[in-house]
Amino acid sequence: MTEQPARRLLLVHAHPDDESINNGATMARYAAEGARVTLVTCTLGERGEVIPPELRHLTGAGLAQERERELAAAMERLGVEDFGFLGGRGRYQDSGMMGTADNDNPHCFWRADVDEAARHLVEVILEVRPQVLVTYDDHGGYGHPDHIQAHRVAMRAVELAAETGWTIEKVYWNRVPRAVGEQAFARLHDDLPGLPFTKAAVLDDVPGVVDDLRITTEIDGTAYAAAKSAAMAAHATQIDVSGAYFALSNELAQPLFTTEYYQLVRGEHGENKETDLFSGIEGTS
C-alpha cells in the first residue's frame, strides 16, 4: 500500500462549483502543503442555471458533462488530484431548488436513502482515512435540498465509518462570520460602479453566515487567492468572476472570500482560535 500523507482532508459537496466557492483557498493551501485533499461531489449539477448565453443550450446530460469538465479544470487550478462523485458518476441526480418538481425525481439526491448514500462515502473514508471532514450545516448553508442531503450523508458516514474502523477526528461546517461579511459587502457597494455587475446581493444571500462567536477556525488562504479565483472561473456555466467579486446566475455581485471560515462541530479544539484544520491532531504537525 502506498504510504499516505500525514494530513488527509475530505470535503463533501453537493454540486460542481460548491467546492471552489466555499473552500477553494483552503483546498489549494493544503494541497500545496502536501496534504491529501479529497473531494466527493454528490451530483453532476444537471439542474444548474447556465450564465453564458452561448452555453444556455446545455441542459440535463449535456450540462452534466460540461460541469464535470469544469470540475476537473477547477481541481487542476487548485492542485487537487483526488476527486470524484458519490457512488460513481451519475448515481445521484441534481434535485433542483427546494419546492420544484425536480425534488420528486426518484433518482435525485434528495430522494436517496441516507444510509445507502452514506455507505458509498464510507468506502472513500476507509480508503483515504481522513482526519478531517468539511461539509455544510444542517440547513445546507442556504436550504438547497442537495446541500441539506450532503450534510446528512456526510454526518451519517462519519458515524458509520467509526463503527467500521476509522474515526474522523474533526468535522467542520462551512461558515462566514457576520462581521466579516458586513465589511466585505460594504467594500462591494463602494466598488460596484466599476464592476460588470449592476446589482449586489445582500449578506443573507451568502450561505452559512453566523454570529462571529460560532467561528472556531480561520484559514488564511490569501496566498492562494489567484488559485481560488481561477478555480471559480473554471466553472463558467455557473460563476462569473470579476476580481475580488463574483456573481451566480442571479447576476448579483458578492464578495469572493480568500480567508475561509469554519465551525468545529465534532472533535477537540487544537487551539483557542484555530488557524489550521489539523490543529491538535497527533502526528499531523
Side-chain angles (χ1 to χ4, degrees):
M1 179 182 293
T2 304
E3 185 176 352
Q4 291 267 31
R7 295 182 296 172
R8 301 177 299 279
L9 168 63
L10 173 63
L11 302 101
V12 180
H13 277 289
H15 316 101
D17 81 353
D18 292 323
E19 81 298 322
S20 296
I21 295 171
N22 287 278
N23 311 115
T26 298
M27 294 172 72
R29 171 180 158 176
Y30 282 110
E33 292 177 354
R36 178 171 180 175
V37 178
T38 301
L39 169 68
V40 173
T41 305
C42 297
T43 79
L44 291 160
E46 301 95 329
R47 303 303 177 203
E49 297 180 355
V50 177
I51 295 174
E54 66 274 16
L55 296 177
R56 286 179 187 164
H57 64 282
L58 293 172
T59 59
L63 179 56
Q65 185 174 19
E66 179 65 15
R67 295 192 70 177
E68 183 179 15
R69 186 199 64 76
E70 291 176 347
L71 180 62
M75 292 303 94
E76 182 176 4
R77 295 172 188 186
L78 296 179
V80 173
E81 298 179 354
D82 188 14
F83 59 97
F85 294 97
L86 182 67
R89 183 191 187 280
R91 179 175 291 273
Y92 300 110
Q93 295 180 17
D94 188 337
S95 307
M97 298 300 290
M98 187 69 82
T100 65
D102 292 321
N103 300 169
D104 298 325
N105 176 358
H107 302 293
C108 77
F109 188 47
W110 181 237
R111 294 294 176 186
D113 180 85
V114 170
D115 274 16
E116 177 186 304
R119 284 192 288 270
H120 293 305
L121 187 56
V122 169
E123 293 177 7
V124 177
I125 291 171
L126 295 180
E127 175 192 346
V128 175
R129 293 180 292 138
Q131 298 104 333
V132 177
L133 181 145
V134 170
T135 192
Y136 315 104
D137 64 15
D138 54 0
H139 186 55
Y142 72 110
H144 191 293
D146 288 332
H147 288 239
I148 295 171
Q149 189 77 323
H151 160 85
R152 293 172 177 170
V153 169
M155 299 304 289
R156 180 60 176 144
V158 170
E159 296 174 346
L160 293 176
E163 294 172 5
T164 310
W166 183 259
T167 299
I168 296 177
E169 296 187 48
K170 302 177 81 174
V171 176
Y172 292 93
W173 293 346
N174 294 306
R175 292 300 193 194
V176 174
R178 185 166 296 279
V180 170
E182 289 171 348
Q183 293 166 7
F185 272 89
R187 291 191 296 271
L188 167 58
H189 284 286
D190 290 341
D191 294 343
L192 190 60
L195 296 175
F197 314 117
T198 57
K199 295 181 179 179
V202 296
L203 182 57
D204 287 342
D205 293 330
V206 176
V209 175
V210 293
D211 184 273
D212 295 38
L213 294 176
R214 294 175 66 180
I215 304 299
T216 61
T217 312
E218 177 179 319
I219 302 300
D220 183 356
T222 52
Y224 303 96
K228 174 169 181 169
S229 178
M232 290 174 61
H235 291 287
T237 61
Q238 306 299 302
I239 308 174
D240 187 4
V241 178
S242 180
Y245 303 101
F246 72 99
L248 302 174
S249 60
N250 59 13
E251 300 181 355
L252 300 177
Q254 57 181 292
L256 189 160
F257 294 101
T258 54
T259 296
E260 294 169 343
Y261 301 87
Y262 302 91
Q263 179 182 357
L264 179 67
V265 296
R266 183 182 181 118
E268 297 295 327
H269 286 263
E271 52 191 283
N272 189 33
K273 187 64 174 286
E274 294 182 335
T275 57
D276 179 5
L277 296 176
F278 294 89
S279 181
I281 298 178
E282 187 176 350
T284 62
S285 59

